[in-house]
Amino acid sequence: MTKAIAPRSRKVRVLATLGPASNTPEMIAKLFEAGADAFRVNMSHGDQASKVGVIEAIRGLEKKYGRPTTILADLQGPKLRVGKFADGKVVLETDSTFILDRDKTPGDATRVELPHKEIFEAMEAGARLLLDDGKLVLRVLEHDDKRIVTNVEVGGPLSNNKGLNVPDVVVPMAALTEKDRSDLAFAVDQGVDWIALSFVQRPDDLWEARKLIGGKTALLAKIEKPAAIERLEEIVEACDGVMVARGDLGVELPPQTVPPLQKRIVETARRQGKPVVVATQMLESMIESPSPTRAEVSDVATAIYDGADAIMLSAESAAGKWPIESVAMMNAIGEAVESDPAHGDRIHFTVIRSDPTTADALSESAKNIARTIDAKAIVCFTSSGSTARRIARERPTVPIMVLTPKMETARRSGLLWGAYAVHTRDVESFEEMVAKAKRMVLRHHLAEAGDRVIVMAGVPFKTPGSTNVLHVVRIMGDELKGYS
């Protein structure tokens, strides 16, 4: 039996990561009711078999709530790690010499194996090597194809298989490992809506994933490497959406540089009309505490004021003690920020210049008309989702109802700012378009008698990319008579 649930009053989307604390059908439903609009399945943890039930549970929400669901599968990517130590752990002294080499012999306080030949090939004198999420800092003194000699600038304890970051050089590694290729094929076979690609450094990194996906799902690039910032415009252009992955970005760059970079990435994605997710440590303290710090709330609010499409919870909802409360807090922050009278002005600090196309001109006009006549919604008929993305880029003051005959388009819209997607049969004529738009806004409680809504579509109908109609209609209130 379908359980009615009203459309979200906020426009920013909440993306919740699932994990041991939240991967049962009951918990997933509770997260959805608390405010989760989309779900992240982290392929770094657990095996593929364990993900099948999770994906089925997310899809089960569609029948329970009568609404499309959105699933993002996040690939692990080429994580760099040092080898093992003879005693499992050593302490590197500041100003000592430490060597990374190709020798598989267990390491000690003077050396350890680095099982990534690509790093030796790309290394440069003076480059930094960061160990254990940046806790230890090494500076390269000399190098060849078998060893890298470094000076320990910041020492400390180091144990087996700790992570390594190389912020100062572009490492010529494939963006997809064998595990990633297997996980990607699995995710596509399971019908997920988005694939997130980790550690993207250049546009080329997206090509193999594109080919393997074969158009069956959308591709999201995680921006977490300094090299990606240098080619940000090209990377955003080559993908369907981006994520500001502040974890590794904050390790490889000074932490004070991350806030302006976050704004730059959000702005770039918005200008290109691509959904952008802000992620990592947003409500970190709620892993253990039932309430966040004031600074964390301010951080989440800043991302919303910047105009991000979605804000993401990681361990807070996946493995924390308070997953439902974390989602509810994200929902509450979104509602509070968007009720601020200054919110509309702040999210338009980013200047969006429309492309010289009919669809862009109409999208900008729809935003302006909605504000001028106090319309209650913008209804767009779309097959590919392109019209919805163009409207969302403008950040209108009203909800965007996305009516589409393609379930995959409806599902992908879950990361799109202000979008409320409905999977429905396509229309055949202008009259049918108007009548259906009226019925849908009434049925889904986006408007009522006397309200005006804006309708956008393309004529001839069923022709992707042909958006050329903008029509303002008034709701009479009796449009549902004769319809169940």
Side-chain angles (χ1 to χ4, degrees):
M1 181 176 178
T2 299
K3 179 179 179 180
I5 184 167
R8 313 286 191 203
S9 60
R10 57 173 163 74
K11 298 176 183 67
V12 67
R13 308 291 85 177
V14 173
L15 174 60
T17 301
L18 299 179
S22 57
N23 58 13
T24 65
E26 295 76 19
M27 279 297 295
I28 292 171
K30 288 178 180 178
L31 295 183
F32 176 78
E33 292 184 0
D37 301 291
F39 297 93
R40 172 176 172 253
V41 177
N42 190 353
M43 303 305 294
S44 298
H45 304 295
D47 57 18
Q48 293 174 1
S50 67
K51 304 293 192 295
V52 175
V54 174
I55 292 171
E56 289 178 351
I58 299 170
R59 292 298 188 221
L61 299 177
E62 294 182 340
K63 185 175 182 180
K64 185 174 183 179
Y65 298 101
R67 186 179 298 181
T69 57
T70 303
I71 303 173
L72 179 144
D74 194 340
L75 304 181
Q76 177 174 290
K79 187 71 174 177
L80 305 176
R81 299 183 186 278
V82 299
K84 297 181 182 297
F85 294 93
D87 296 326
K89 183 177 182 179
V90 297
V91 175
L92 302 190
E93 299 293 338
T94 299
D95 282 333
S96 66
T97 298
F98 189 70
I99 297 172
L100 300 105
D101 57 35
R102 305 287 299 280
D103 185 353
K104 296 183 182 296
T105 305
D108 53 30
T110 65
R111 60 153 295 276
V112 73
E113 179 197 9
L114 181 59
H116 304 285
K117 65 176 183 179
E118 298 89 349
I119 297 179
F120 294 86
E121 296 168 357
M123 194 46 57
E124 299 174 359
R128 290 170 300 150
L129 301 179
L130 310 178
L131 297 167
D132 194 9
D133 291 333
K135 296 183 181 69
L136 289 78
V137 181
L138 314 179
R139 182 76 63 172
V140 176
L141 300 176
E142 57 183 270
H143 63 93
D144 56 32
D145 60 356
K146 291 184 178 179
R147 68 179 201 154
I148 300 170
V149 181
T150 74
N151 177 61
V152 180
E153 292 192 345
V154 179
L158 181 64
S159 54
N160 292 341
N161 305 125
K162 283 298 183 181
L164 171 76
N165 292 82
V166 190
D168 300 332
V169 297
V170 177
V171 181
M173 297 183 69
L176 292 172
T177 65
E178 285 304 315
K179 171 178 166 54
D180 293 330
R181 293 186 186 93
S182 175
D183 287 342
L184 186 151
F186 164 80
V188 170
D189 186 60
Q190 289 291 309
V192 306
D193 311 298
W194 289 84
I195 297 282
L197 192 60
S198 298
F199 303 113
V200 173
Q201 298 186 89
R202 48 195 178 271
D204 310 30
D205 291 341
L206 299 164
W207 295 345
E208 183 183 0
R210 276 277 190 221
K211 183 177 180 180
L212 293 173
I213 287 171
K216 295 179 181 178
T217 187
L219 180 61
L220 183 142
K222 294 170 67 176
I223 308 299
E224 50 194 334
K225 302 285 288 182
I229 301 298
E230 297 175 10
R231 302 186 67 180
L232 183 61
E233 294 277 352
E234 299 169 82
I235 289 172
V236 174
E237 187 175 350
C239 64
D240 302 305
V242 296
M243 179 185 292
V244 188
R246 304 181 303 178
D248 276 273
L249 197 60
V251 169
E252 300 208 358
L253 291 167
Q256 66 271 19
T257 67
V258 174
L261 283 177
Q262 173 177 313
K263 292 181 182 296
R264 179 181 166 191
I265 297 166
V266 171
E267 178 182 357
T268 302
R270 284 191 56 192
R271 279 193 285 101
Q272 294 198 26
K274 306 291 178 70
V276 54
V277 181
V278 176
T280 318
Q281 296 178 324
M282 302 210 81
L283 297 177
E284 184 84 355
S285 66
M286 288 193 75
I287 295 173
E288 296 290 338
S289 170
S291 59
T293 67
R294 305 311 188 261
E296 288 168 340
V297 173
S298 180
D299 176 46
V300 174
T302 295
I304 299 170
Y305 279 119
D306 287 345
D309 289 81
I311 45 182
M312 191 181 97
L313 292 165
S314 299
E316 303 97 325
S317 59
K321 295 179 180 178
W322 310 94
I324 298 171
E325 291 79 2
S326 297
V327 171
M329 178 55 64
M330 282 291 219
N331 181 70
I333 298 170
E335 291 179 343
V337 169
E338 292 181 11
S339 66
D340 176 7
H343 172 256
D345 292 330
R346 291 183 183 278
I347 62 170
H348 288 109
F349 283 167
T350 298
V351 177
I352 303 298
R353 293 182 174 84
S354 300
D355 295 330
T357 66
T358 301
D360 270 359
L362 291 180
S363 297
E364 183 178 9
S365 298
K367 174 194 69 175
N368 296 331
I369 293 170
R371 183 177 61 245
T372 301
I373 67 173
D374 191 28
K376 299 303 178 186
I378 298 173
V379 181
C380 71
F381 290 81
T382 181
S383 176
S384 66
S386 174
T387 302
R389 291 191 296 273
R390 291 172 187 275
I391 300 171
R393 182 174 77 158
E394 299 293 337
R395 299 297 191 258
T397 56
V398 299
I400 306 164
M401 174 169 258
V402 182
L403 300 182
T404 177
K406 292 188 175 181
M407 179 58 91
E408 57 266 33
T409 297
R411 288 170 170 167
R412 291 177 194 176
S413 299
L415 291 184
L416 195 59
W417 191 91
Y420 179 80
V422 177
H423 179 226
T424 183
R425 184 177 57 81
D426 210 350
V427 294
E428 303 284 346
S429 67
F430 185 87
E431 293 74 16
E432 186 183 359
M433 174 193 79
V434 173
K436 177 164 241 177
K438 289 182 176 183
R439 291 196 305 273
M440 286 298 185
V441 294
L442 280 171
R443 186 172 290 156
H444 294 271
H445 311 290
L446 291 175
E448 56 188 28
D451 290 338
R452 285 178 288 189
V453 299
I454 297 168
V455 183
M456 287 182 61
V459 177
F461 294 101
K462 299 183 179 181
T463 306
S466 65
T467 303
N468 57 8
V469 170
L470 186 154
H471 188 61
V472 180
V473 300
R474 185 179 293 276
I475 307 301
M476 303 307 295
D478 60 355
E479 285 85 355
L480 290 177
K481 288 181 179 179
Y483 290 89
S484 57

